[in-house]
Amino acid sequence: MDYSRRDLVVITVSAVAVAALGWFFFGPRRARAAERSHGVQRMEVTVRGGYSPDVIRLRQGVPAELVADRQKSGECTNRVATLGEPHPGRL
């Protein structure tokens, strides 16, 4: 098959775009550690179409407090679900 220069450029740009999107959505996430004060871990999470930070690192066995700053209201942002909890908690 003979590909023109334009075809090769389009294929290359498309492959780079697909790789960049894959990295953005599925690449490794950097966890942010919660602040510790008076024996409690505390983390503020901004809720605006997503969560920021989206990964939080907590120490096992230390009480934790998550504070949600809801900047967007809606049915999807009024509940929190955690692993191991049978029923999501309300914000």
Side-chain angles (χ1 to χ4, degrees):
M1 293 184 125
D2 286 335
Y3 290 111
S4 70
R5 184 175 294 213
R6 178 191 287 175
D7 292 338
L8 294 175
V9 168
V10 168
I11 291 169
T12 303
V13 168
S14 299
V16 168
V18 167
L21 285 171
W23 180 262
F24 178 77
F25 286 109
F26 304 111
R29 302 279 185 210
R30 187 172 295 164
R32 211 169 112 201
E35 299 171 3
R36 291 179 67 179
S37 174
H38 304 291
V40 176
Q41 302 174 89
R42 187 173 194 273
M43 176 61 73
E44 216 172 287
V45 179
T46 302
V47 182
R48 181 181 37 218
Y51 302 97
S52 179
D54 58 350
V55 178
I56 300 169
R57 185 175 46 240
L58 300 171
R59 284 198 175 270
Q60 184 175 357
V62 179
E65 178 181 81
L66 294 178
V67 179
D69 178 12
R70 289 179 57 203
Q71 297 183 355
K72 186 176 184 182
S73 62
E75 188 59 32
C76 294
T77 61
N78 69 355
R79 290 183 176 268
V80 171
T82 60
L83 294 175
E85 185 181 359
H87 304 289
R90 272 204 151 330
L91 290 178

